[in-house]
Amino acid sequence: METKQIEKVLKAPAPHMVGDGFRVHNFFPSGYKINMSPFFLMDYGSKIEFSARKEPRGVGVHPHRGFETVTIAYHGAVAHHDSAGNSGVIYPGDVQWMTAASGILHKEYHEAQYSLTGGPFQMVQLWVNLPSKDKMGKPGYQAIKQADMAHFDLPENGGKIEIIAGNYQGIKGNANTFTPIELYNARLNKGSEATFNFPEHFNTGFLVIEGSIKVNGSETAAADNFLHFKNEGEEIKIEALENSVILVLSGEPIDEPIVQYGPFLMNTQAEIHQAIEDYNQGRFGYLEE
């Protein structure tokens, strides 16, 4: 099987704040102009210490339409509320998969107890595009706890691959997706190896959350680096140079035009105008600040 080579190892772009609770590095589409469809956006909140605070930090009520948000927690805890009546808390290892589709309001805050104690905080949020036929579908919500997550144990106590979405070694991930997506947390112990196989045309990237890895026996990548792979070959081998956590993304591109305006991701300018009108008319529901 032909090896899928690295196109580029990308360092974390300068961070910016989202609300007052999320310090993020935007790898794409702002930081780097790379094609990762169906993943439209990746905000990486590298590890940071937040001080204790009574009033939780976060982001107030805001709308989304036309895509899904996927939030993956590594340190800290985030509380979520939305206008479809969903709410929950994601703790380290948990994943929250929100389908905005035709329109939703939501807010995200540091969970109250975490806020009171403070401590390390590390998260990833992805925007996953929806195909045009599903953009105006019904909003949805999938809460995936780490304890319930499908996983594959690597041999000889090498660690494990947590399968958020897709299929690894015949084990199916928990999340339901609209297009073919592979999304894993690879938790590798020092010296262990893992092999991944993705179709040639899938857009593929690895984010090193913790530790450092050697890829395909040659290139190395440290924590907070993103590896963007070529659309050639299928097999990727990684070796953990120390205990490491790697977020693995691969998906079939959605070959449709994209028009983005703030929190809306549609196919045409007219659909963006409609989204703004619907939001202004209160058609996204109601959510208390």
Side-chain angles (χ1 to χ4, degrees):
M1 191 174 287
E2 197 182 333
T3 298
K4 189 184 282 288
Q5 301 289 352
I6 295 172
E7 177 78 46
K8 216 165 207 179
V9 177
L10 306 171
K11 294 191 183 306
H16 67 275
M17 292 300 293
V18 177
D20 65 356
F22 305 93
R23 188 201 67 167
V24 301
H25 311 266
N26 183 261
F27 273 97
F28 56 87
S30 304
Y32 297 98
K33 302 301 178 192
I34 57 174
N35 183 11
M36 278 296 295
S37 174
F39 308 100
F40 177 79
L41 173 149
M42 185 172 76
D43 273 344
Y44 169 49
S46 61
K47 199 183 290 182
I48 185 176
E49 289 279 335
F50 278 108
S51 58
R53 182 168 148 171
K54 197 172 181 181
E55 190 65 33
R57 300 172 176 90
V59 183
V61 176
H62 58 283
H64 289 305
R65 172 179 279 182
F67 62 99
E68 304 182 282
T69 64
V70 180
T71 308
I72 306 162
Y74 297 96
H75 291 280
V78 173
H80 162 95
H81 295 269
D82 67 40
S83 57
N86 300 302
S87 64
V89 176
I90 53 169
Y91 296 100
D94 297 345
V95 176
Q96 172 193 284
W97 197 298
M98 185 186 81
T99 305
S102 62
I104 206 166
L105 304 176
H106 80 145
K107 58 183 179 179
E108 298 159 293
Y109 287 93
H110 292 185
E111 184 269 336
Q113 191 54 49
Y114 166 77
S115 192
L116 287 173
T117 58
F121 193 86
Q122 190 178 23
M123 299 266 164
V124 171
Q125 186 169 91
L126 303 166
W127 287 15
V128 179
N129 191 22
L130 288 170
S132 57
K133 67 181 179 62
D134 298 309
K135 282 187 180 292
M136 292 300 288
K138 189 181 175 186
Y141 182 80
Q142 302 176 74
I144 306 168
K145 295 290 183 188
Q146 186 182 34
D148 305 325
M149 201 176 285
H151 67 275
F152 174 83
D153 290 318
L154 295 167
E156 297 173 16
N157 196 32
K160 63 180 177 178
I161 311 296
E162 294 175 344
I163 307 133
I164 301 165
N167 189 303
Y168 184 82
Q169 300 285 14
I171 299 172
K172 189 180 180 306
N174 299 60
N176 295 311
T177 65
F178 289 84
T179 59
I181 286 172
E182 305 292 325
L183 186 63
Y184 322 139
N185 269 323
R187 300 180 185 271
L188 272 58
N189 295 326
K190 182 179 178 178
S192 68
E193 297 181 348
T195 302
F196 303 91
N197 292 287
F198 303 117
E200 201 166 86
H201 70 290
F202 275 35
N203 291 321
T204 303
F206 288 8
L207 176 64
V208 184
I209 301 290
E210 212 170 276
S212 57
I213 58 172
K214 183 182 279 189
V215 183
N216 297 328
S218 54
E219 292 194 67
T220 59
D224 303 341
N225 284 181
F226 184 78
L227 293 78
H228 186 221
F229 289 88
K230 295 180 179 178
N231 291 104
E232 301 165 8
E234 295 177 345
E235 187 174 87
I236 301 166
K237 287 186 178 178
I238 62 172
E239 178 193 346
L241 302 177
E242 53 191 307
N243 290 351
S244 300
V245 179
I246 305 98
L247 178 63
V248 175
L249 301 82
S250 189
E252 186 169 57
I254 297 173
D255 189 20
E256 294 175 352
I258 286 181
V259 180
Q260 183 211 358
Y261 178 80
F264 307 133
L265 196 60
M266 303 303 289
N267 299 110
T268 67
Q269 202 66 50
E271 289 170 342
I272 292 291
H273 292 316
Q274 187 63 55
I276 294 167
E277 184 185 329
D278 289 347
Y279 170 63
N280 289 334
Q281 295 295 321
R283 296 181 188 127
F284 283 40
Y286 174 76
L287 186 63
E288 195 175 328
E289 281 286 356

